[in-house]
Amino acid sequence: LHNKDDARYDADAAVLFAQYLEDHTGFLELPPESFDAKRKHFEAPIVNWDRDPPPLPARPYVVMEFVPGETLQTAIDREWRPAAPSNGRA
């Protein structure tokens, strides 16, 4: 979403998403080299993550842009939470 060198880059859409700043998962070093080929490979139904996991760090993590506000789950919960029962007091 934020790779300006990618032909699919859309500046208007990119501002809607937090930036992925650093990747310390080890996933980028795995073959195949291109992101799209890697995604296609690891999303294939034949990949068994339990039986043949790729060699990744014991404690992988990513660093993302801080975006103030609330989580999507909080907003969803607020919309679906039943109204508090009215007891007649103001």
Side-chain angles (χ1 to χ4, degrees):
L1 290 172
H2 297 282
N3 182 356
K4 294 178 183 175
D5 296 328
D6 191 301
R8 299 167 293 185
Y9 175 75
D10 180 344
D12 292 332
V15 298
L16 300 174
F17 297 90
Q19 290 190 52
Y20 194 85
L21 302 174
E22 297 176 23
D23 186 306
H24 300 275
T25 62
F27 192 71
L28 296 175
E29 288 78 30
L30 297 174
E33 194 168 314
S34 84
F35 175 80
D36 289 326
K38 192 175 302 200
R39 181 176 52 87
K40 184 177 179 180
H41 170 77
F42 286 105
E43 289 179 355
I46 62 168
V47 174
N48 185 327
W49 288 84
D50 293 324
R51 186 188 66 223
D52 301 313
L56 297 175
R59 298 183 64 131
Y61 68 96
V62 297
V63 177
M64 300 205 50
E65 172 186 20
F66 174 74
V67 178
E70 63 186 9
T71 64
L72 177 59
Q73 189 60 48
T74 301
I76 290 170
D77 286 348
R78 183 180 55 254
E79 293 296 320
W80 292 99
R81 188 178 305 129
S86 175
N87 60 9
R89 291 187 267 171

